[in-house]
Amino acid sequence: MSKAGNYPDLETVYRQCSGPGGLKLAEFLADKLNLQKGQVLLDVGFNRGYQTCFLAKEYPVFVVGIDPWPDRSDGRPHVEHLMANARAWGVERRVLGVQVGLPDTRFAGASFDAIYTSTTMEMIRGAQGEAMYRTCLGELFRLLRPGGRLALGEPMHFDVPVPEDLAPLMPPGNPSWEGCFSTVDRTVESVQSQGFAILEADYAPDARRWWLEFAAYDPGCRANPQEEPRAIAVDGGRWLSFGYVIAQKPV
Ligand SMILES: C[S@@+](CC[C@H](N)C(=O)[O-])C[C@H]1O[C@@H](n2cnc3c(N)ncnc32)[C@H](O)[C@@H]1O
């Protein structure tokens, strides 16, 4: 059984996680980090920290999470959600939440053995543009020890025009899907531009399943079935996907 398979309650997973994939995504990326006992992992943009706790529980690492913002639904700092979840998961001694954000984290350089970030970096691109996206990648490069790995996963689209029937259904979010999402190739270029060597990059094989799961279980999707779930259904996997980049800081 997969590690994420130990947590089959998708209602809870999608109430606590934000974005497609939930714990399956966390496992998919973390398995590519080659995590070793006693290493320190940075989780960038942990939201309620459910993935953070999963990583601390299922891998032999200490996890530091950073997230600068309060929770969108209840206004509490994300750090409070993280530590409440950490206690519930029994990993409070192996998780630390810090209320800072990219690009100005103020940690010393080379502080981390590995970095995990999912469905976060695209928000920075959407809100602040590609130049800031690259600046934030540069900060991740600084924070990683030489030889350490970065696993970045985010919603991405295939390198094709937006299908005509999808365009009018795209969520009118601010920032929009088009503002946030890029392609694997362009994301690889951005990661390389900051000095990383690329180990692996592609569209996730389960991307479509993750989006369908998100449409079925995410509370926002359930409340507004005519918005994101409809767009995901109409798209049918022609444009919308989920990509990842595994990169290494050269020794
Ligand atoms: C969509 S959530 C994903 C969280 C988590 N990986 C998950 O799947 O549940 C993205 C998180 O990134 C955080 N975030 C936004 N800007 C950030 C920044 N500049 N640095 C670090 N985190 C940031 C947001 O506050 C939000 O909690």
Side-chain angles (χ1 to χ4, degrees), residues 144-227:
L144 203 51
R145 69 158 166 82
R149 289 187 184 188
L150 164 70
L152 176 156
E154 58 188 52
M156 295 190 200
H157 63 81
F158 294 121
D159 200 2
V160 296
V162 178
E164 274 181 24
D165 53 345
L166 173 63
L169 301 176
M170 297 255 252
N174 184 20
S176 66
W177 274 5
E178 274 189 287
C180 292
F181 304 167
S182 186
T183 64
V184 168
D185 285 350
R186 268 177 253 141
T187 307
V188 161
E189 274 173 31
S190 295
V191 173
Q192 278 174 325
S193 77
Q194 299 307 307
F196 284 102
I198 305 298
L199 300 180
E200 187 182 338
D202 209 339
Y203 293 97
D206 287 338
R208 180 78 185 140
R209 265 191 288 272
W210 293 346
W211 275 111
L212 290 174
E213 213 175 76
F214 173 77
Y217 289 97
D218 174 78
C221 287
R222 284 196 164 169
N224 302 292
Q226 290 309 311
E227 295 182 7

Coordinates of all heavy atoms in Angstrom, one line a residue, residues 144-227:
L144 N 19.3 25.8 0.3 CA 19.6 24.4 0.2 C 21.1 24.2 0.3 O 21.9 25.0 -0.2 CB 19.1 24.0 -1.2 CG 18.8 22.5 -1.5 CD1 17.8 21.9 -0.5 CD2 18.2 22.4 -2.9
R145 N 21.4 23.1 1.0 CA 22.9 22.8 1.1 C 23.3 22.2 -0.3 O 22.5 21.7 -1.0 CB 23.1 21.8 2.2 CG 22.6 20.4 1.9 CD 23.3 19.3 2.6 NE 22.5 18.0 2.6 CZ 22.6 17.2 1.6 NH1 23.3 17.4 0.5 NH2 21.9 16.1 1.6
P146 N 24.6 22.4 -0.6 CA 25.1 21.8 -1.9 C 24.8 20.3 -1.9 O 25.0 19.6 -0.9 CB 26.6 22.1 -1.8 CG 26.7 23.3 -1.0 CD 25.7 23.2 0.1
G147 N 24.3 19.8 -3.0 CA 23.9 18.4 -3.2 C 22.5 18.2 -2.8 O 21.9 17.1 -3.0
G148 N 21.8 19.1 -2.1 CA 20.4 19.0 -1.7 C 19.4 19.1 -2.8 O 19.7 19.7 -3.9
R149 N 18.3 18.5 -2.6 CA 17.3 18.4 -3.7 C 16.1 19.3 -3.4 O 15.6 19.4 -2.3 CB 16.8 17.0 -3.9 CG 17.8 16.1 -4.5 CD 17.2 14.7 -4.8 NE 18.2 13.8 -5.3 CZ 18.0 12.6 -5.8 NH1 16.7 12.2 -5.9 NH2 18.9 11.9 -6.3
L150 N 15.5 19.8 -4.5 CA 14.3 20.6 -4.5 C 13.2 19.8 -5.2 O 13.5 19.3 -6.3 CB 14.4 21.9 -5.2 CG 13.2 22.7 -5.7 CD1 12.4 23.2 -4.4 CD2 13.5 23.8 -6.6
A151 N 12.0 19.6 -4.6 CA 10.9 19.0 -5.3 C 9.8 20.0 -5.4 O 9.3 20.5 -4.3 CB 10.4 17.7 -4.5
L152 N 9.5 20.5 -6.6 CA 8.5 21.5 -6.8 C 7.4 20.9 -7.6 O 7.6 20.3 -8.7 CB 9.2 22.6 -7.6 CG 8.4 23.8 -8.0 CD1 9.3 25.0 -8.2 CD2 7.6 23.6 -9.4
G153 N 6.1 21.0 -7.1 CA 5.0 20.6 -7.8 C 3.9 21.6 -7.9 O 3.7 22.3 -6.9
E154 N 3.4 21.9 -9.0 CA 2.3 22.9 -9.1 C 1.4 22.6 -10.3 O 1.8 21.9 -11.3 CB 2.9 24.3 -9.3 CG 3.9 24.5 -10.4 CD 4.6 25.8 -10.4 OE1 5.3 26.1 -9.4 OE2 4.6 26.5 -11.5
P155 N 0.2 23.1 -10.3 CA -0.7 23.0 -11.4 C 0.0 23.6 -12.6 O 0.6 24.7 -12.5 CB -1.9 23.8 -11.1 CG -1.9 23.9 -9.6 CD -0.5 23.9 -9.2
M156 N 0.1 22.9 -13.7 CA 0.7 23.4 -15.0 C -0.3 23.0 -16.1 O -1.2 22.2 -16.0 CB 2.1 22.8 -15.2 CG 3.1 23.2 -14.2 SD 4.8 22.6 -14.6 CE 5.6 22.7 -13.0
H157 N 0.0 23.7 -17.3 CA -0.8 23.3 -18.4 C 0.1 22.8 -19.6 O 1.3 23.1 -19.6 CB -1.7 24.5 -18.9 CG -0.9 25.7 -19.3 ND1 -0.3 25.8 -20.6 CD2 -0.5 26.9 -18.7 CE1 0.3 27.0 -20.7 NE2 0.2 27.6 -19.6
F158 N -0.6 22.0 -20.4 CA 0.2 21.5 -21.6 C 0.5 22.7 -22.5 O -0.3 23.8 -22.5 CB -0.6 20.5 -22.3 CG -0.8 19.2 -21.5 CD1 -2.1 18.7 -21.2 CD2 0.3 18.5 -21.0 CE1 -2.3 17.6 -20.4 CE2 0.1 17.3 -20.3 CZ -1.1 16.9 -20.0
D159 N 1.5 22.6 -23.4 CA 1.9 23.7 -24.2 C 1.0 23.7 -25.5 O 1.5 23.6 -26.6 CB 3.4 23.4 -24.6 CG 4.0 24.7 -25.1 OD1 3.3 25.8 -25.0 OD2 5.2 24.7 -25.5
V160 N -0.3 24.0 -25.2 CA -1.3 24.1 -26.3 C -2.2 25.3 -25.9 O -2.2 25.7 -24.8 CB -2.2 22.8 -26.4 CG1 -1.3 21.6 -26.8 CG2 -2.9 22.6 -25.1
P161 N -2.8 25.9 -26.9 CA -3.8 27.0 -26.6 C -4.9 26.5 -25.7 O -5.3 25.4 -25.7 CB -4.3 27.4 -28.0 CG -3.4 26.8 -29.0 CD -2.8 25.6 -28.4
V162 N -5.4 27.5 -24.9 CA -6.6 27.2 -24.1 C -7.8 26.7 -25.0 O -8.1 27.5 -26.0 CB -7.0 28.4 -23.3 CG1 -8.3 28.1 -22.5 CG2 -5.9 28.9 -22.4
P163 N -8.3 25.5 -24.8 CA -9.5 25.1 -25.7 C -10.6 26.2 -25.6 O -10.9 26.8 -24.6 CB -9.9 23.8 -25.0 CG -8.7 23.3 -24.3 CD -8.0 24.5 -23.8
E164 N -11.2 26.4 -26.8 CA -12.2 27.4 -26.9 C -13.4 27.3 -25.9 O -13.9 28.2 -25.4 CB -12.8 27.5 -28.3 CG -11.9 28.4 -29.3 CD -12.5 28.4 -30.7 OE1 -13.7 28.2 -30.8 OE2 -11.7 28.7 -31.6
D165 N -13.8 26.0 -25.7 CA -14.9 25.8 -24.8 C -14.5 25.9 -23.3 O -15.3 26.0 -22.5 CB -15.6 24.4 -25.1 CG -14.6 23.3 -25.1 OD1 -13.3 23.5 -25.2 OD2 -15.0 22.1 -25.0
L166 N -13.2 25.8 -23.1 CA -12.7 26.0 -21.7 C -12.6 27.5 -21.3 O -12.9 27.9 -20.2 CB -11.4 25.3 -21.5 CG -10.7 25.5 -20.1 CD1 -11.5 24.9 -19.0 CD2 -9.3 24.8 -20.1
A167 N -12.1 28.3 -22.3 CA -11.8 29.7 -22.0 C -12.9 30.4 -21.2 O -12.6 31.0 -20.1 CB -11.5 30.4 -23.3
P168 N -14.2 30.3 -21.6 CA -15.2 31.1 -20.8 C -15.5 30.5 -19.5 O -16.1 31.1 -18.6 CB -16.5 31.0 -21.7 CG -16.2 29.9 -22.7 CD -14.7 29.7 -22.8
L169 N -15.0 29.3 -19.2 CA -15.3 28.6 -17.9 C -14.2 28.7 -16.9 O -14.3 28.3 -15.7 CB -15.6 27.1 -18.1 CG -16.7 26.7 -19.0 CD1 -16.8 25.2 -19.2 CD2 -18.0 27.3 -18.5
M170 N -13.1 29.3 -17.3 CA -11.9 29.4 -16.4 C -12.3 30.2 -15.2 O -12.9 31.3 -15.4 CB -10.8 30.1 -17.1 CG -10.3 29.3 -18.3 SD -8.8 28.5 -18.0 CE -7.7 29.4 -19.0
P171 N -12.0 29.7 -14.0 CA -12.3 30.5 -12.8 C -11.8 31.9 -12.9 O -10.7 32.2 -13.3 CB -11.6 29.7 -11.7 CG -11.3 28.4 -12.3 CD -11.2 28.5 -13.7
P172 N -12.7 32.9 -12.6 CA -12.3 34.3 -12.7 C -11.4 34.7 -11.6 O -11.3 35.9 -11.3 CB -13.6 35.0 -12.6 CG -14.5 34.1 -11.7 CD -14.0 32.7 -12.0
G173 N -10.7 33.8 -10.9 CA -9.9 34.1 -9.7 C -8.9 35.2 -10.0 O -8.5 35.5 -11.1
N174 N -8.5 35.8 -8.9 CA -7.5 36.8 -8.9 C -6.4 36.4 -8.0 O -6.5 36.5 -6.8 CB -8.1 38.2 -8.5 CG -7.1 39.3 -8.6 OD1 -6.1 39.2 -9.3 ND2 -7.3 40.3 -7.8
P175 N -5.2 35.9 -8.5 CA -4.9 35.7 -9.9 C -5.6 34.6 -10.6 O -6.1 33.6 -10.0 CB -3.4 35.5 -9.9 CG -3.1 34.9 -8.6 CD -4.2 35.4 -7.6
S176 N -5.6 34.6 -12.0 CA -6.4 33.6 -12.7 C -5.5 32.4 -13.0 O -4.3 32.4 -12.8 CB -6.7 34.2 -14.1 OG -5.5 34.5 -14.8
W177 N -6.1 31.3 -13.4 CA -5.4 30.1 -13.8 C -4.3 30.5 -14.8 O -3.2 30.0 -14.7 CB -6.3 29.1 -14.5 CG -7.1 28.2 -13.5 CD1 -7.1 28.2 -12.2 CD2 -7.9 27.1 -13.9 NE1 -7.9 27.2 -11.7 CE2 -8.4 26.5 -12.7 CE3 -8.4 26.6 -15.1 CZ2 -9.3 25.4 -12.7 CZ3 -9.2 25.5 -15.1 CH2 -9.7 24.9 -13.9
E178 N -4.6 31.3 -15.8 CA -3.6 31.6 -16.9 C -2.5 32.4 -16.3 O -1.3 32.2 -16.8 CB -4.3 32.3 -18.0 CG -4.9 31.4 -19.0 CD -5.3 32.1 -20.3 OE1 -6.4 32.8 -20.2 OE2 -4.7 32.0 -21.3
G179 N -2.8 33.2 -15.3 CA -1.7 34.0 -14.7 C -0.8 33.2 -13.8 O 0.4 33.4 -13.7
C180 N -1.4 32.1 -13.2 CA -0.6 31.3 -12.3 C 0.1 30.2 -13.0 O 1.3 29.9 -12.6 CB -1.5 30.7 -11.3 SG -2.3 31.8 -10.1
F181 N -0.5 29.5 -13.9 CA 0.0 28.2 -14.4 C 0.9 28.4 -15.6 O 0.6 29.2 -16.5 CB -1.2 27.3 -14.8 CG -2.2 27.0 -13.7 CD1 -3.4 26.4 -14.0 CD2 -1.9 27.3 -12.4 CE1 -4.4 26.2 -13.0 CE2 -2.9 27.1 -11.4 CZ -4.1 26.5 -11.7
S182 N 1.9 27.6 -15.7 CA 2.9 27.6 -16.8 C 3.0 26.2 -17.3 O 2.3 25.3 -17.0 CB 4.2 28.2 -16.3 OG 5.1 28.4 -17.3
T183 N 4.0 26.0 -18.2 CA 4.3 24.7 -18.7 C 5.5 24.1 -18.0 O 6.3 24.8 -17.3 CB 4.6 24.7 -20.2 OG1 5.9 25.5 -20.4 CG2 3.5 25.4 -21.0
V184 N 5.7 22.8 -18.2 CA 6.9 22.1 -17.6 C 8.2 22.8 -18.1 O 9.1 23.1 -17.4 CB 6.9 20.6 -17.8 CG1 8.2 20.0 -17.5 CG2 5.8 19.9 -17.0
D185 N 8.2 22.9 -19.5 CA 9.5 23.4 -20.1 C 9.8 24.8 -19.6 O 11.0 25.1 -19.3 CB 9.4 23.5 -21.6 CG 9.4 22.1 -22.2 OD1 9.8 21.2 -21.5 OD2 9.2 22.0 -23.4
R186 N 8.8 25.7 -19.4 CA 9.1 27.1 -19.0 C 9.5 27.0 -17.5 O 10.4 27.8 -17.0 CB 8.0 28.0 -19.2 CG 8.1 28.7 -20.6 CD 6.9 29.5 -20.9 NE 6.2 28.9 -22.0 CZ 4.8 28.9 -22.1 NH1 4.1 29.5 -21.1 NH2 4.2 28.3 -23.0
T187 N 8.9 26.2 -16.7 CA 9.3 26.1 -15.3 C 10.7 25.5 -15.2 O 11.5 26.0 -14.3 CB 8.3 25.2 -14.6 OG1 6.9 25.6 -14.9 CG2 8.5 25.2 -13.1
V188 N 11.1 24.6 -16.0 CA 12.4 24.1 -16.0 C 13.4 25.2 -16.2 O 14.4 25.3 -15.6 CB 12.6 22.9 -17.0 CG1 14.1 22.7 -17.3 CG2 11.9 21.6 -16.4
E189 N 13.1 26.0 -17.2 CA 14.0 27.2 -17.6 C 14.2 28.1 -16.3 O 15.3 28.5 -16.0 CB 13.4 28.0 -18.7 CG 13.7 27.5 -20.1 CD 13.0 28.3 -21.1 OE1 12.7 29.5 -20.9 OE2 12.6 27.7 -22.2
S190 N 13.1 28.4 -15.6 CA 13.1 29.2 -14.5 C 14.0 28.6 -13.4 O 14.8 29.3 -12.7 CB 11.7 29.5 -13.9 OG 11.0 30.3 -14.9
V191 N 13.8 27.3 -13.1 CA 14.6 26.6 -12.1 C 16.0 26.6 -12.4 O 16.9 27.0 -11.6 CB 14.0 25.2 -11.9 CG1 14.9 24.4 -10.9 CG2 12.6 25.2 -11.4
Q192 N 16.3 26.3 -13.7 CA 17.8 26.3 -14.2 C 18.4 27.7 -14.0 O 19.6 27.8 -13.7 CB 17.8 25.9 -15.6 CG 17.8 24.4 -15.8 CD 17.7 23.9 -17.2 OE1 17.1 24.6 -18.1 NE2 18.4 22.8 -17.5
S193 N 17.6 28.7 -14.3 CA 18.1 30.1 -14.3 C 18.7 30.5 -12.9 O 19.5 31.4 -12.8 CB 17.0 31.1 -14.7 OG 16.1 31.4 -13.6
Q194 N 18.3 29.8 -11.9 CA 18.8 30.1 -10.5 C 20.0 29.2 -10.1 O 20.4 29.2 -9.0 CB 17.7 30.0 -9.5 CG 16.6 31.0 -9.8 CD 17.0 32.4 -10.0 OE1 17.7 33.0 -9.1 NE2 16.7 33.1 -11.1
G195 N 20.5 28.4 -11.0 CA 21.7 27.6 -10.7 C 21.4 26.1 -10.5 O 22.4 25.3 -10.3
F196 N 20.2 25.7 -10.4 CA 19.9 24.3 -10.1 C 20.2 23.4 -11.4 O 20.0 23.9 -12.5 CB 18.4 24.1 -9.9 CG 17.9 24.6 -8.5 CD1 17.3 25.8 -8.4 CD2 18.1 23.8 -7.4 CE1 16.8 26.3 -7.1 CE2 17.6 24.2 -6.2 CZ 17.0 25.4 -6.0
A197 N 20.6 22.2 -11.1 CA 20.7 21.1 -12.1 C 19.3 20.3 -12.1 O 18.9 20.0 -11.0 CB 21.8 20.2 -11.8
I198 N 18.8 20.1 -13.2 CA 17.5 19.4 -13.3 C 17.7 17.9 -13.3 O 18.5 17.3 -14.1 CB 16.7 19.7 -14.6 CG1 16.5 21.3 -14.7 CG2 15.3 19.0 -14.6 CD1 15.7 21.9 -13.5
L199 N 17.1 17.2 -12.3 CA 17.2 15.7 -12.2 C 16.0 15.0 -13.0 O 16.2 14.0 -13.6 CB 17.2 15.2 -10.8 CG 18.3 15.8 -9.9 CD1 18.1 15.2 -8.5 CD2 19.7 15.4 -10.5
E200 N 14.9 15.7 -12.9 CA 13.7 15.1 -13.5 C 12.6 16.2 -13.6 O 12.5 17.0 -12.7 CB 13.2 13.9 -12.6 CG 12.1 13.1 -13.2 CD 11.6 12.1 -12.2 OE1 12.4 11.7 -11.3 OE2 10.4 11.6 -12.3
A201 N 11.9 16.2 -14.7 CA 10.8 17.1 -14.8 C 9.7 16.6 -15.8 O 10.1 16.1 -16.9 CB 11.3 18.5 -15.3
D202 N 8.5 16.7 -15.5 CA 7.4 16.1 -16.4 C 6.1 16.5 -15.8 O 5.9 17.1 -14.8 CB 7.5 14.6 -16.4 CG 7.1 14.0 -17.7 OD1 6.3 14.7 -18.4 OD2 7.5 12.8 -18.0
Y203 N 5.1 16.1 -16.6 CA 3.7 16.2 -16.1 C 3.4 14.9 -15.3 O 3.9 13.8 -15.7 CB 2.7 16.3 -17.3 CG 2.9 17.6 -18.0 CD1 3.6 17.7 -19.2 CD2 2.3 18.8 -17.5 CE1 3.8 18.9 -19.8 CE2 2.4 20.0 -18.2 CZ 3.2 20.1 -19.3 OH 3.4 21.3 -20.0
A204 N 2.8 15.1 -14.1 CA 2.6 13.9 -13.2 C 1.6 13.0 -13.9 O 0.6 13.4 -14.4 CB 2.0 14.4 -11.9
P205 N 1.9 11.7 -13.9 CA 1.1 10.7 -14.6 C -0.4 10.7 -14.0 O -1.3 10.4 -14.7 CB 1.8 9.3 -14.3 CG 2.9 9.6 -13.5 CD 3.2 11.1 -13.4
D206 N -0.5 11.0 -12.7 CA -1.8 11.0 -12.1 C -2.5 12.4 -12.0 O -3.5 12.5 -11.3 CB -1.7 10.5 -10.6 CG -1.4 9.0 -10.6 OD1 -1.8 8.3 -11.6 OD2 -0.9 8.5 -9.6
A207 N -2.0 13.3 -12.8 CA -2.5 14.7 -12.7 C -4.0 14.7 -12.9 O -4.7 15.4 -12.1 CB -1.8 15.6 -13.8
R208 N -4.5 14.0 -13.9 CA -6.0 14.1 -14.2 C -6.7 13.5 -13.0 O -7.8 14.1 -12.5 CB -6.3 13.3 -15.5 CG -7.8 13.3 -15.8 CD -8.2 14.6 -16.5 NE -9.6 14.7 -16.7 CZ -10.4 15.7 -16.5 NH1 -9.9 16.9 -16.1 NH2 -11.7 15.7 -16.8
R209 N -6.3 12.4 -12.4 CA -7.0 11.8 -11.3 C -7.0 12.8 -10.1 O -8.0 12.9 -9.4 CB -6.3 10.5 -10.9 CG -6.9 9.3 -11.5 CD -6.4 8.0 -10.9 NE -5.0 7.8 -11.3 CZ -4.7 7.1 -12.4 NH1 -5.6 6.6 -13.1 NH2 -3.4 6.9 -12.7
W210 N -5.9 13.5 -9.9 CA -5.8 14.4 -8.8 C -6.8 15.6 -9.0 O -7.4 16.0 -8.0 CB -4.4 15.0 -8.7 CG -3.3 14.0 -8.3 CD1 -3.5 12.7 -7.8 CD2 -1.9 14.2 -8.4 NE1 -2.3 12.1 -7.5 CE2 -1.3 13.0 -7.9 CE3 -1.1 15.2 -8.8 CZ2 0.1 12.8 -7.9 CZ3 0.3 15.0 -8.8 CH2 0.9 13.9 -8.3
W211 N -6.9 16.1 -10.2 CA -7.8 17.2 -10.4 C -9.3 16.7 -10.2 O -10.1 17.5 -9.7 CB -7.7 17.7 -11.9 CG -6.6 18.8 -12.0 CD1 -5.4 18.6 -12.6 CD2 -6.6 20.1 -11.4 NE1 -4.6 19.8 -12.5 CE2 -5.3 20.7 -11.8 CE3 -7.5 20.8 -10.7 CZ2 -5.0 22.0 -11.4 CZ3 -7.2 22.1 -10.3 CH2 -6.0 22.7 -10.6
L212 N -9.6 15.5 -10.7 CA -10.9 15.0 -10.5 C -11.3 14.8 -9.0 O -12.4 15.1 -8.5 CB -11.1 13.7 -11.3 CG -11.1 13.9 -12.8 CD1 -11.2 12.5 -13.5 CD2 -12.3 14.7 -13.3
E213 N -10.2 14.3 -8.2 CA -10.4 14.1 -6.8 C -10.7 15.5 -6.1 O -11.6 15.7 -5.3 CB -9.1 13.5 -6.2 CG -9.4 12.6 -5.1 CD -8.0 11.9 -4.7 OE1 -7.2 12.6 -4.1 OE2 -7.9 10.7 -5.0
F214 N -9.9 16.5 -6.5 CA -10.0 17.9 -6.0 C -11.5 18.4 -6.3 O -12.1 18.9 -5.5 CB -9.0 18.8 -6.7 CG -9.1 20.2 -6.4 CD1 -8.7 20.8 -5.2 CD2 -9.6 21.1 -7.4 CE1 -8.8 22.1 -5.0 CE2 -9.7 22.5 -7.2 CZ -9.3 23.0 -6.0
A215 N -11.9 18.2 -7.6 CA -13.3 18.6 -8.0 C -14.3 18.0 -7.1 O -15.4 18.6 -6.8 CB -13.5 18.3 -9.4
A216 N -14.1 16.7 -6.7 CA -15.1 16.0 -6.0 C -15.1 16.3 -4.5 O -16.1 16.2 -3.8 CB -14.9 14.4 -6.2
Y217 N -13.9 16.6 -3.9 CA -13.8 16.7 -2.5 C -13.5 18.0 -1.9 O -13.8 18.3 -0.7 CB -12.7 15.7 -1.9 CG -13.2 14.2 -2.1 CD1 -12.8 13.5 -3.1 CD2 -14.0 13.7 -1.1 CE1 -13.2 12.1 -3.2 CE2 -14.4 12.4 -1.2 CZ -14.0 11.6 -2.3 OH -14.4 10.3 -2.4
D218 N -12.8 18.9 -2.7 CA -12.5 20.2 -2.1 C -13.7 21.0 -1.7 O -14.7 21.1 -2.5 CB -11.7 21.0 -3.2 CG -11.4 22.4 -2.7 OD1 -10.5 22.6 -1.9 OD2 -12.1 23.4 -3.2
P219 N -13.7 21.5 -0.5 CA -15.0 22.2 0.0 C -15.4 23.4 -0.9 O -16.6 23.6 -1.1 CB -14.6 22.7 1.4 CG -13.4 21.9 1.8 CD -12.7 21.5 0.6
G220 N -14.4 24.1 -1.5 CA -14.8 25.2 -2.4 C -15.4 24.7 -3.6 O -16.4 25.3 -4.2
C221 N -14.9 23.6 -4.1 CA -15.5 23.0 -5.4 C -16.9 22.5 -5.1 O -17.8 22.6 -5.9 CB -14.6 21.8 -5.8 SG -13.1 22.4 -6.6
R222 N -17.1 21.9 -3.9 CA -18.4 21.4 -3.5 C -19.4 22.5 -3.4 O -20.6 22.3 -3.8 CB -18.3 20.6 -2.2 CG -17.7 19.3 -2.4 CD -18.0 18.4 -1.2 NE -17.7 17.0 -1.6 CZ -17.7 16.1 -0.7 NH1 -17.9 16.3 0.6 NH2 -17.4 14.8 -1.1
A223 N -19.0 23.6 -2.9 CA -19.9 24.8 -2.7 C -20.2 25.4 -4.0 O -21.3 26.1 -4.2 CB -19.3 25.8 -1.7
N224 N -19.3 25.3 -5.0 CA -19.5 26.0 -6.3 C -19.3 25.0 -7.5 O -18.3 25.2 -8.2 CB -18.5 27.2 -6.4 CG -18.7 28.2 -5.3 OD1 -19.7 28.8 -5.2 ND2 -17.7 28.2 -4.4
P225 N -20.2 24.0 -7.6 CA -19.9 23.0 -8.6 C -19.9 23.5 -10.1 O -19.4 22.9 -11.0 CB -21.1 22.0 -8.4 CG -22.1 22.8 -7.6 CD -21.4 23.8 -6.8
Q226 N -20.5 24.7 -10.3 CA -20.5 25.3 -11.6 C -19.3 26.1 -12.0 O -19.1 26.6 -13.1 CB -21.7 26.2 -11.8 CG -23.1 25.5 -11.9 CD -23.1 24.3 -12.9 OE1 -22.6 24.5 -14.0 NE2 -23.5 23.2 -12.4
E227 N -18.3 26.2 -11.0 CA -17.1 26.9 -11.2 C -16.0 25.9 -11.6 O -16.0 25.3 -12.6 CB -16.9 27.9 -10.1 CG -18.0 28.9 -10.0 CD -17.8 30.0 -9.0 OE1 -16.8 30.0 -8.3 OE2 -18.8 30.7 -8.8

